[in-house]
Amino acid sequence: MGKKTDMVLSVADMAGTVLFAVEGAMAALRGGLDLFGVMVLSFATALGGGVLRDLLIGAAPPTALRDWRYPAMAFAAGAATFAGHAVVGQVPVGLMTTLDAAGLSLFAVAGTEKALNRDIPPFSAVLMGTITGVGGGTLRDIMLAQVPAILRVDVYATAALLGAAVMTAAIRLGVAPRYAALAGGGACFALRMVSVWRHWALPTAMGLQG
Amino acid sequence: MGKKTDMVLSVADMAGTVLFAVEGAMAALRGGLDLFGVMVLSFATALGGGVLRDLLIGAAPPTALRDWRYPAMAFAAGAATFAGHAVVGQVPVGLMTTLDAAGLSLFAVAGTEKALNRDIPPFSAVLMGTITGVGGGTLRDIMLAQVPAILRVDVYATAALLGAAVMTAAIRLGVAPRYAALAGGGACFALRMVSVWRHWALPTAMGLQG
Amino acid sequence: MGKKTDMVLSVADMAGTVLFAVEGAMAALRGGLDLFGVMVLSFATALGGGVLRDLLIGAAPPTALRDWRYPAMAFAAGAATFAGHAVVGQVPVGLMTTLDAAGLSLFAVAGTEKALNRDIPPFSAVLMGTITGVGGGTLRDIMLAQVPAILRVDVYATAALLGAAVMTAAIRLGVAPRYAALAGGGACFALRMVSVWRHWALPTAMGLQG
């Protein structure tokens, strides 16, 4: 890719990291955690998915430890949220949902690309893209002693899965990486937004419960 | 080993993966998770132990990501269980327990062998065999926000530990791998089945509770 | 370092492992776990922080699996605690807190040094020292389906973080490793003990709760 595309990608990546860190910090505050807990959940939510992916594809130490800017941004976002949670709490839900869908799309696509670049087979690359997108939120929920939200409700992980699958398929069909990423990210974003708008949810097998 | 033994082993390995995936899916359904949650718990229960082992022995990316047939089988078993849970729920408990004991024995022995083949010291190889057998169920329980069952009740992990220890000892004594595996697997299966039949449980220190 | 320093360090490392294993076993007994659960929590509490660090810095298999003496000591300490929990329960709280602060300091400093020796950047080395100190207790709490104590209360992880930061800064300023370790360990121990004595706690944002 050209230098300009690279910079756009880097800026987007950093923006996604900051956004997920803010969401982790808000979850920590709602859970009554102290300042250290807020910092840990900011880090885990923003970078946990990428760390898991890097461990799984054999790329340790993960990017989040090699490049100090990622943890620094996650911690800065966590501290800022701790200090200004009253302000963050007033961001309209619709805006937050839209930004989150954009971050999810970006992480899913970036994770898929990294896995494919390391010769992970296509089927597993799709899993790695999905984990990059939703792994941070899953770690956050586990640390809050809750069943991860993505396992229970909403079309969220499914959107990440779709984006990763579309990107992988496009790459396999010979589409240039930048367009494959656009197609995958677009598919993830569109499915997520439509499912929020239409209140879609995945099926459960209610008869078995209780 | 000869080609025939290899094929028997592969078939057994795949059968164990499918069985554990079905058990993970049933646990997810009982926990009220949606279709994505069912797929994740199928994958985690069936392949989580092997993934943990591979990360710990430095064999990333793990087999479950290198060979697409393992995740494909786990997901297929999860989807089939989601669709046909009424049928799966009618499998007699005794049959399920017996199959599960067989799967546990197989995973414990296979995990021990893989660790020994990578020059992990004997003591740690026994741990790796145990983790291969019970790691998936432990991840499943953590994702369901429950204290892992193996830490609380039953002679289950202990059976995997015995099997791994018997196999490691036999290999150290110069027994051929296939017979060492048979001895280890047999010890695990026998201890598990007898403990279910006789209602054995590990001691707890009740005086400390409450 | 000279041979004598090495031996002092090894003895201290082993003492820290035993102490953390005892604490893990006591938590398991309070949680009503059986003998296997006690052994797992002894192992996880004593060695989980180091295992996490080694996976993250790309040093798999972790030391705890390469050197059989570490798991052997953790399991021996767990078994001894299971058998003699009445005695262990009578150790004065103040003594236990002091020993624990010493163990925390030691683990934080040792983890930082290992990360720096593997050319992990300074910012991440501080994180690795902190994880080495508190990762085991975090895993223990997650396995007990509890929100990790370090995220909720007390100046505990913050002390490990301070110790790791002091050590890293000292090394960067050219201080000899043994003095940097003393400074870092001393800072961690002092902050932890003073915070217990003065009932310090990190701020939370109470207004957001409930």
Side-chain angles (χ1 to χ4, degrees):
Chain A
M1 300 188 198
K3 274 218 162 149
K4 205 170 159 191
T5 325
D6 270 2
M7 218 188 69
V8 170
L9 269 182
S10 280
V11 169
D13 204 21
M14 304 247 159
T17 302
V18 166
L19 178 76
F20 277 34
V22 168
E23 294 183 6
M26 290 301 284
L29 289 167
R30 278 192 299 270
L33 302 190
D34 66 16
L35 178 56
F36 184 82
V38 170
M39 302 308 263
V40 169
L41 285 215
S42 299
F43 182 89
T45 309
L47 302 171
V51 168
L52 273 180
R53 176 205 60 213
D54 285 349
L55 291 183
L56 286 169
I57 66 175
T63 309
L65 297 182
R66 281 184 214 261
D67 183 341
W68 65 271
R69 291 175 303 173
Y70 286 96
M73 263 187 320
F75 288 131
T81 306
F82 186 84
H85 56 81
V87 178
V88 177
Q90 284 170 349
V91 175
V93 170
L95 176 58
M96 208 66 189
T97 303
T98 308
L99 289 174
D100 182 76
L104 178 69
S105 307
L106 186 80
F107 277 35
V109 161
T112 306
E113 185 173 30
K114 182 157 186 184
L116 289 172
N117 284 345
R118 301 208 34 133
D119 292 325
I120 301 292
F123 194 93
S124 298
V126 174
L127 293 182
M128 293 302 101
T130 310
I131 284 181
T132 308
V134 306
T138 304
L139 282 179
R140 175 200 62 207
D141 292 346
I142 289 177
M143 287 202 198
L144 288 168
Q146 295 169 355
V147 178
I150 57 153
L151 303 183
R152 286 183 291 116
V153 290
D154 265 8
V155 177
Y156 189 85
T158 308
L161 185 67
L162 174 70
V166 166
M167 174 163 186
T168 302
I171 295 265
R172 297 278 288 180
L173 292 171
V175 175
R178 81 179 74 180
Y179 297 114
L182 272 177
C188 173
F189 185 78
L191 176 56
R192 174 69 189 141
M193 292 310 289
V194 171
S195 76
V196 169
W197 173 46
R198 304 293 294 174
H199 300 288
W200 285 350
L202 288 180
T204 59
M206 300 297 283
L208 264 188
Q209 294 176 49
Chain B
M1 301 189 194
K3 273 218 163 150
K4 205 170 159 190
T5 325
D6 270 2
M7 218 189 69
V8 170
L9 268 183
S10 280
V11 170
D13 205 19
M14 304 248 159
T17 301
V18 166
L19 177 75
F20 277 35
V22 169
E23 294 184 5
M26 291 302 283
L29 289 168
R30 277 192 300 271
L33 302 190
D34 66 16
L35 178 57
F36 185 83
V38 169
M39 301 308 265
V40 169
L41 285 215
S42 298
F43 182 89
T45 309
L47 302 171
V51 167
L52 273 180
R53 175 206 61 214
D54 286 348
L55 291 184
L56 287 168
I57 67 176
T63 310
L65 296 182
R66 281 184 214 261
D67 183 341
W68 64 272
R69 291 174 303 172
Y70 286 96
M73 263 187 320
F75 287 130
T81 306
F82 185 84
H85 56 81
V87 178
V88 177
Q90 285 171 350
V91 174
V93 171
L95 175 58
M96 207 66 189
T97 304
T98 308
L99 290 174
D100 182 76
L104 178 70
S105 307
L106 185 80
F107 277 35
V109 161
T112 307
E113 186 173 28
K114 181 156 187 185
L116 289 171
N117 284 346
R118 303 211 27 138
D119 292 324
I120 301 291
F123 194 93
S124 298
V126 174
L127 292 183
M128 292 303 100
T130 310
I131 283 181
T132 308
V134 306
T138 304
L139 282 179
R140 176 198 61 207
D141 293 346
I142 289 178
M143 286 201 198
L144 289 168
Q146 295 169 355
V147 178
I150 58 154
L151 303 183
R152 288 182 291 118
V153 291
D154 266 9
V155 177
Y156 190 86
T158 309
L161 186 68
L162 175 70
V166 165
M167 175 165 186
T168 302
I171 294 267
R172 298 279 288 181
L173 292 171
V175 175
R178 80 178 76 180
Y179 296 114
L182 273 176
C188 174
F189 185 78
L191 176 55
R192 175 66 189 143
M193 291 310 288
V194 170
S195 76
V196 170
W197 173 45
R198 305 292 295 170
H199 299 288
W200 284 349
L202 288 180
T204 58
M206 300 297 282
L208 264 189
Q209 294 176 49
Chain C
M1 302 189 195
K3 274 220 163 148
K4 204 170 160 189
T5 324
D6 270 1
M7 218 188 69
V8 169
L9 269 183
S10 280
V11 169
D13 204 21
M14 304 246 160
T17 301
V18 165
L19 177 75
F20 276 34
V22 168
E23 294 184 5
M26 291 301 283
L29 289 167
R30 278 193 299 270
L33 302 191
D34 66 16
L35 178 56
F36 184 83
V38 169
M39 302 307 264
V40 169
L41 285 214
S42 299
F43 181 89
T45 310
L47 302 171
V51 167
L52 272 181
R53 176 204 60 214
D54 285 349
L55 290 184
L56 287 169
I57 66 176
T63 310
L65 296 182
R66 282 183 212 262
D67 183 342
W68 65 271
R69 291 174 303 173
Y70 286 96
M73 264 188 318
F75 288 130
T81 306
F82 185 84
H85 58 80
V87 178
V88 176
Q90 284 171 351
V91 174
V93 170
L95 176 57
M96 207 67 189
T97 302
T98 309
L99 289 173
D100 181 76
L104 178 69
S105 307
L106 185 80
F107 277 36
V109 160
T112 307
E113 186 174 28
K114 182 157 187 185
L116 289 171
N117 284 345
R118 301 209 33 135
D119 291 324
I120 301 292
F123 194 94
S124 299
V126 174
L127 292 183
M128 293 301 101
T130 310
I131 283 181
T132 309
V134 308
T138 304
L139 283 179
R140 174 198 63 207
D141 293 346
I142 288 177
M143 286 201 197
L144 288 168
Q146 295 169 354
V147 178
I150 58 153
L151 303 182
R152 287 183 291 118
V153 291
D154 265 10
V155 177
Y156 190 85
T158 308
L161 185 68
L162 175 70
V166 165
M167 175 164 185
T168 302
I171 294 267
R172 297 277 289 182
L173 293 170
V175 175
R178 80 178 75 180
Y179 297 114
L182 273 176
C188 174
F189 185 78
L191 176 56
R192 174 69 188 141
M193 292 309 289
V194 170
S195 77
V196 169
W197 171 46
R198 305 292 295 173
H199 300 288
W200 284 349
L202 287 181
T204 58
M206 299 299 280
L208 264 189
Q209 294 176 49

